[in-house]
Amino acid sequence: QVQLVESGGGLVQPGGSLRLSCAASGFTLDHYAVGWFRQAPGKGREGVSCVGSSDGTTYYLNSVKGRFTISRDNAKNTVYLQMNSLKPEDTAVYTCAATQVCGSYNFDYWGQGTQVTVSS
């Protein structure tokens, strides 16, 4: 079965950390660029970070630069999003997606999303 599955979300206090995982099955994730997106209640979806397939170039939303790190483990067919110094405004459903190139509006696969809640 071809799918992306996110995990690692949860409730964390401001200043805390979480690591999200995006695991692929049924296809080889390192053939794709992988992006993380988030959508907060009442807001549109925004791109948070992306890692390229060929050279591993990374991209970040300005508001998460220096706090979030995207990485990939090709042996585990998984992409991670390490989130540090979390803020309440980071609260959202986080979803990963596989695409041909970072910045594309066309996506081959989407995950189901994982909830991240930052609150004291």
Side-chain angles (χ1 to χ4, degrees), residues 4 19 23 25 55 66 89 91 96 112 118 120:
L4 285 173
R19 189 178 77 158
S25 59
D55 58 5
E89 51 264 43
T91 295
C96 64
Q112 83 290 349
V118 185
S120 55

Side-chain angles (χ1 to χ4, degrees), residues 3-6 35 37 45 95-98 107-112:
Q3 61 180 354
L4 285 173
V5 178
E6 300 96 335
F37 300 83
R45 186 175 65 203
T95 308
C96 64
F107 299 91
D108 297 272
Y109 306 104
W110 283 94
Q112 83 290 349

